[in-house]
Amino acid sequence: MNDRYSRQILFEPIGEEGQDQLSDKHVVIIGAGALGTGNAEILARAGVGRITIADRDYVEWSNLQRQQLFSEEDAKYRMPKAVAARERLEQVNSDIHVESLVLDAGVEELRELAEFADLLIDATDNFDTRLLINDISQERKIPWIYGACVGSYGLSYVILPGETPCLSCLLEKVPMGGATCDTAGIIAPVVQMVVAHQTAEALKLLTGNTTSLRNKLVSFDMWNNHYLAMDVQKLKKADCPSCGEHAHYPHLDPENQTKTAVLCGRNTVQIRPSEKGERDLEELSLSLSRLGGRIEQNPYLLSYSSDEEQRLVFFKDGRVLIHGTKDITEAKNLYYSLIG
Amino acid sequence: MKLIVNGASLDIDQARTIEELLVELKLAGKGAIVELNQEILDKSQHAETRLANGDKVEIVHFVGGG
Ligand SMILES: [Zn+2]
């Protein structure tokens, strides 16, 4: 046994006992973007025994400014974020078990992910997935930690089923478009600030230091120098559809599932085929090559463009990203014209 | 009317209620949670809660990025 964790063990509220607890815990991180890679690195270094990281996207150059586990190589080869993150985490700590999943976290996927999880960490970039996480958390009685940021603004809150208000209590209605698909950009320090708030609470939860939990909604604007910690306990609603007395988890209802989504600030539409199954990339490559155009491939995905405007990226899990449009109908037309 | 909004002094032209203030600050429809003079408000109170000169308002709004 080396002294990898010695400084953390010296920290009294954690100690040997807390360190042992960490090594027995399983944390699921949903999203491997800025928040996901930040959370994953800290928790891997801290010695959380099992980390699962799930993401639907691949690494691009515009990610490198703030997504701390990725390298230029990852961007060059369009590595799936989850895979690139796992490979880096394995270099950082080979004592723990890291699992990567290249998928879009829908209801089924999240249910499976949550099966053996002690904690869910939100590192997504949209409200739809967060509301799914919120309902899964309530259904399975697993805590989750909300985190989000845009521009120089960030916020975080820990949701404990049966104790705190849930995200539905706090939001009531899903915020409209502009808030998620902001074009305001993002600076890395605010990512780190959100990550710090998420992981500090995660360490407390995972080591049983629940009396030290913050219990407040924190928000900060790091450019305008404003910091706030708000007690929102009074906003817990007895009639909340997600956490109230007659909770029915509305976001887990198949009726409410979207098969297509416009990705945040990306000029990209994602299509999830309704039938499950692995896509045969070799076969696809063969059929697309007859059409002309440019095909690039790695073991996880295939990128195809017939003209300058649009590019389609086919993942093994069946999903397709259509870059160069925000129009779902246009995206579907293109998809069906190629895939049938 | 002068308010202290998120720690900064702010001159308000039109808004007379919390809901109108959120519109003026372009924070309407963003699930904003509001504290008025350190008292947290339920969203159902935003429309009826009137502002007075010198009020201290703290606002947390939700964003989707990450
Ligand atoms: Zn609730």
Side-chain angles (χ1 to χ4, degrees), chain A residues 2 17 27 39 42 58 72 77-78 85 87 89 116 214 225 242 247 266 299 318 324 327:
Chain A
N2 57 33
E17 199 188 323
V27 175
N39 272 284
I42 288 184
Y58 57 87
E72 292 187 357
Y77 293 108
R78 296 195 180 115
E87 287 177 356
L89 293 171
F116 301 104
R214 188 181 60 232
N225 311 310
S242 296
R266 290 274 309 273
D327 183 335

Side-chain angles (χ1 to χ4, degrees), chain A residues 134 138 164-170 235-237 240-244:
Chain A
N134 190 57
Q138 295 295 333
T164 69
C166 77
L167 187 64
S168 296
C169 292
L170 300 183
L235 299 180
K236 184 163 173 64
K237 295 188 171 45
C240 172
S242 296
C243 77

Side-chain angles (χ1 to χ4, degrees), chain A residues 20-312:
Chain A
D20 285 346
Q21 284 177 295
L22 284 180
S23 70
D24 282 338
K25 292 289 165 36
H26 181 196
V27 175
V28 172
I29 301 172
I30 302 125
L35 294 176
T37 53
N39 272 284
E41 178 157 1
I42 288 184
L43 297 179
R45 287 184 191 276
V48 171
R50 194 177 179 90
I51 295 174
T52 301
I53 188 158
D55 193 279
R56 64 183 175 188
D57 213 345
Y58 57 87
V59 181
E60 294 181 286
W61 287 90
S62 65
N63 302 146
L64 301 182
Q65 162 246 8
R66 68 197 179 286
Q67 303 188 10
Q68 67 190 65
L69 295 173
F70 305 141
S71 67
E72 292 187 357
E73 287 291 289
D74 296 326
K76 230 177 269 171
Y77 293 108
R78 296 195 180 115
M79 285 293 283
K81 289 183 173 183
V83 175
R86 172 176 47 76
E87 287 177 356
R88 175 63 186 147
L89 293 171
E90 283 167 351
Q91 292 175 337
V92 164
N93 191 346
S94 58
D95 288 350
I96 62 167
H97 183 79
V98 182
E99 187 187 13
S100 60
L101 297 166
V102 184
L103 53 77
D104 185 36
V107 174
E108 281 171 55
E109 291 83 0
L110 279 171
R111 274 216 179 96
E112 265 174 54
L113 281 170
E115 190 76 40
F116 301 104
D118 295 293
L119 172 65
L120 308 174
I121 293 203
D122 161 33
T124 65
D125 60 1
N126 64 87
F127 284 108
D128 290 340
T129 313
R130 286 188 176 98
L131 288 164
L132 285 184
I133 297 171
N134 190 57
D135 277 6
I136 294 275
S137 143
Q138 295 295 333
E139 184 190 61
R140 296 290 160 99
K141 308 293 173 235
I142 303 167
W144 74 282
I145 305 181
Y146 165 73
C149 45
V150 68
S152 60
Y153 178 80
L155 70 168
S156 180
Y157 187 64
V158 178
I159 288 149
L160 305 171
E163 293 181 40
T164 69
C166 77
L167 187 64
S168 296
C169 292
L170 300 183
L171 280 179
E172 291 188 9
K173 261 185 277 170
V174 183
M176 299 293 273
T180 53
C181 291
D182 228 287
T183 46
I186 177 109
I187 54 168
V190 79
V191 172
Q192 296 296 329
M193 187 86 165
V194 175
V195 166
H197 280 87
Q198 288 181 294
T199 50
E201 299 307 291
L203 290 179
K204 293 175 196 172
L205 271 172
L206 297 170
T207 59
N209 283 286
T210 48
T211 53
S212 298
L213 285 169
R214 188 181 60 232
N215 295 323
K216 282 185 177 161
L217 171 64
V218 285
S219 73
F220 28 82
D221 185 324
M222 299 190 72
W223 212 262
N224 297 304
N225 311 310
H226 182 253
Y227 302 83
L228 188 60
M230 198 183 267
D231 185 346
V232 294
Q233 190 62 36
K234 269 174 74 179
L235 299 180
K236 184 163 173 64
K237 295 188 171 45
D239 61 351
C240 172
S242 296
C243 77
E245 281 152 26
H246 305 287
H248 57 95
Y249 319 120
H251 301 282
L252 304 184
D253 188 334
E255 297 269 295
N256 293 341
Q257 298 316 303
T258 45
K259 293 291 174 207
T260 52
V262 183
L263 299 197
C264 176
R266 290 274 309 273
N267 200 23
T268 297
V269 172
Q270 171 180 270
I271 295 177
R272 288 161 63 108
S274 38
E275 69 279 8
K276 295 266 159 187
E278 220 170 70
R279 189 185 292 286
D280 187 337
L281 295 180
E282 292 308 320
E283 191 190 295
L284 179 68
S285 171
L286 218 73
S287 74
L288 288 176
S289 64
R290 291 187 208 112
L291 301 173
R294 217 166 111 96
I295 298 173
E296 285 172 273
Q297 216 178 327
N298 71 30
Y300 309 96
L301 53 86
L302 181 152
S303 163
Y304 173 76
S305 52
S306 58
D307 57 46
E308 297 285 298
E309 308 248 301
Q310 281 129 358
R311 189 160 59 84
L312 290 90

